[in-house]
Amino acid sequence: MGVYDKKNSTGFDYFFPTQGTKIMGLGLAIVGALLIILLLAMATGIFNPRPLSFSFDKNPVKSSEQSILTVSVSNPYPETARKVIVEVVPEDRRAISVDRPVREIDVLDKNRELEFIVNPVGQILPGDYVLNISVTINGTKFSETTTLKVVQ
């Protein structure tokens, strides 16, 4: 009896089974797809909270109105963050004003929301005005931009 015969004396089959290969192939395809989805999710940061998010209570606004910009700051690190700096700076400071544009959070465990009053200065032209929002957590700076739309 040879090594590659159908059955040897112990009853062990050395041949790769041909039955069920469709099921095994489908299972491998599903596991591969799940692995790709997991890698993409990790690469895009779905599992890590964004340290900075924001929203306006009113956008667009008229040149005579104001809007409240709510900035949510989340600590992406396991340790408590201290002396977190949050800044909201308009690109055109002559057209858009931010009340108290720099704030400091003494202790940040998980997350905190801050509100900034944003309003056009005088009768400005309608258009989109860019605001730069940044937060510095444990020496690392995270930045985002948003647009306030002013209409007539």
Side-chain angles (χ1 to χ4, degrees), residues 56-105:
F56 284 103
D57 72 330
K58 188 178 199 181
N59 194 10
V61 296
K62 294 181 180 178
S63 61
S64 61
E65 298 175 332
Q66 68 182 15
S67 181
I68 296 176
L69 173 65
T70 303
V71 177
S72 298
V73 181
S74 299
N75 186 1
Y77 303 110
E79 66 271 359
T80 300
R82 300 195 185 283
K83 304 288 184 191
V84 175
I85 305 293
V86 182
E87 294 178 275
V88 177
V89 180
E91 281 190 0
D92 187 356
R93 294 181 186 182
R94 291 173 292 146
I96 300 294
S97 170
V98 178
D99 182 43
R100 293 181 40 217
V102 179
R103 309 260 180 98
E104 183 175 308
I105 302 172

Side-chain angles (χ1 to χ4, degrees), residues 6 20-21 27 31 34 42 52 58 62-63 65-68 75 97 100 104 107 114 122 133 136 139 142 144 146:
K6 192 78 167 166
T21 56
V31 168
L34 289 175
M42 291 174 75
L52 182 60
K58 188 178 199 181
K62 294 181 180 178
S63 61
E65 298 175 332
Q66 68 182 15
S67 181
I68 296 176
N75 186 1
S97 170
R100 293 181 40 217
E104 183 175 308
V107 177
L114 299 173
I133 305 167
T136 305
F142 302 95
E144 298 268 344
T146 187

Side-chain angles (χ1 to χ4, degrees), residues 86-146:
V86 182
E87 294 178 275
V88 177
V89 180
E91 281 190 0
D92 187 356
R93 294 181 186 182
R94 291 173 292 146
I96 300 294
S97 170
V98 178
D99 182 43
R100 293 181 40 217
V102 179
R103 309 260 180 98
E104 183 175 308
I105 302 172
D106 291 329
V107 177
L108 179 65
D109 286 325
K110 296 197 185 240
N111 57 14
R112 177 101 35 103
E113 284 190 354
L114 299 173
E115 292 183 344
F116 295 86
I117 298 174
V118 179
N119 60 336
V121 176
Q123 294 296 321
I124 63 171
L125 295 174
D128 295 338
Y129 293 90
V130 177
L131 296 163
N132 297 313
I133 305 167
S134 65
V135 60
T136 305
I137 303 173
N138 292 342
T140 305
K141 189 171 187 174
F142 302 95
S143 298
E144 298 268 344
T145 60
T146 187

Side-chain angles (χ1 to χ4, degrees), residues 14-27:
Y14 288 104
F15 291 101
F16 192 74
T18 58
Q19 296 174 342
T21 56
K22 290 181 182 179
I23 294 174
M24 191 165 46
L26 182 63

